[in-house]
Amino acid sequence: MPNRHRILVVDDDPRIASSLRRALLYEGYEVETAADGIEGLASARRLAPDLVILDVMMPGLDGIEVCRRLRAGGEVAILMLTALDATSARVEGLDSGADDYLVKPFAYEELLARVRALLRRGAGRTPRVVSYGGVQLDLDTREVTRGERPVNLTAKEFELLEHLLRQPRRVFTRDQLLESVWGIESEATSNVVDVYVGYLRQKLEQAGEPRLLQTVRGVGYALREV
């Protein structure tokens, strides 16, 4: 079963960002990338990730300053990456608020081990119940309710609903949902997202409740009240 943690990778080297993204997606994480510090801060505010993997040496707003701003704004776990092996560089990164530090080049096995350790350390800070529009999803008991009514979901329906509940009102394309929830790249002939949206709607609206899972024509789907 996928790890439902969300990771943001901030690195100006597209090859490294793409490689990290593939490795983390393979492990079952939800992954988004940002190409510089400004985009990284905006993405962190929008996504509320569980972990940020942050490159130090970026043009403009560097990783040290991004780390300071992230730390000032919340308790997200931060793993910093750098090509600098000097002790002073590691100290500066940790003093800016990073939780861990990894020097490039690194072995992906080590990076993944550090990711797991940081996510375990931050598990107590992760909300275990997500809700929106009267729908509540408990990550520990895997129970879902709408109002007082229990909603029985399959494992994949649960994962899709959790993904939508974590970012209510955000519009997701079918390709984004296919990759984040099913962990596969876009397939032009696949209608699996539409099928599961239909399943969720049927179960969430069994008692005649108003629709929450909206179709955004030409784009995809969003969980929003109208």
Side-chain angles (χ1 to χ4, degrees):
M1 178 182 171
N3 303 295
R4 303 318 301 166
H5 291 103
R6 180 178 297 110
I7 298 175
L8 173 63
V9 176
V10 186
D11 198 309
D12 65 315
D13 187 328
R15 293 171 300 175
I16 292 176
S18 178
S19 181
L20 284 170
R21 183 173 180 274
R22 287 195 301 271
L24 292 164
L25 281 173
Y26 183 80
E27 294 296 314
Y29 298 108
E30 295 182 21
V31 186
E32 296 224 14
T33 61
D36 56 45
I38 297 295
E39 184 183 347
L41 285 173
S43 296
R45 287 193 292 267
R46 174 173 56 85
L47 298 170
D50 301 295
L51 170 68
V52 176
I53 299 177
L54 177 63
D55 184 39
V56 171
M57 299 180 69
M58 293 185 292
L61 198 65
D62 67 18
I64 298 295
E65 182 58 29
V66 172
C67 185
R68 290 194 182 104
R69 297 189 190 186
L70 287 172
R71 183 56 65 229
E75 293 297 320
V76 62
I78 301 171
L79 171 60
M80 298 196 78
L81 305 178
T82 186
L84 300 175
D85 195 17
T87 299
S88 59
R90 293 196 295 272
V91 169
E92 185 181 16
L94 294 169
D95 281 349
S96 69
D99 296 285
D100 202 354
Y101 206 95
L102 195 56
V103 176
K104 301 176 182 177
F106 49 81
Y108 278 92
E109 291 83 358
E110 181 179 3
L111 178 134
L112 292 170
R114 295 190 185 213
V115 164
R116 290 191 294 269
L118 287 172
L119 291 172
R120 284 196 302 270
R121 190 186 308 172
R125 300 192 297 261
T126 303
R128 302 305 297 170
V129 175
V130 288
S131 62
Y132 175 76
V135 175
Q136 181 168 291
L137 181 149
D138 190 310
L139 296 167
D140 291 321
T141 65
R142 299 188 67 82
E143 294 176 342
V144 177
T145 57
R146 182 161 191 184
E148 300 298 319
R149 180 175 68 85
V151 179
N152 296 316
L153 301 180
T154 65
K156 192 57 66 178
E157 291 165 355
F158 185 96
E159 291 171 22
L160 175 58
L161 180 60
E162 179 193 346
H163 188 75
L164 294 164
L165 278 170
R166 285 189 178 277
Q167 297 181 73
R169 296 180 296 277
R170 178 183 171 184
V171 179
F172 291 93
T173 67
R174 290 171 176 82
D175 287 351
Q176 287 172 331
L177 292 172
L178 193 64
E179 185 173 296
S180 296
V181 179
W182 281 266
I184 55 178
E185 298 290 337
S186 172
E187 296 180 8
T189 59
S190 174
N191 67 340
V192 65
V193 173
D194 301 322
V195 169
Y196 273 82
V197 165
Y199 292 159
L200 269 183
R201 282 175 170 164
Q202 183 179 29
K203 293 183 177 182
L204 290 174
E205 301 169 15
Q206 278 183 356
E209 298 98 333
R211 175 155 295 177
L212 276 177
L213 185 42
Q214 311 293 342
T215 299
V216 181
R217 294 192 180 279
V219 185
Y221 298 103
L223 200 68
R224 60 171 61 152
E225 296 178 287
V226 295

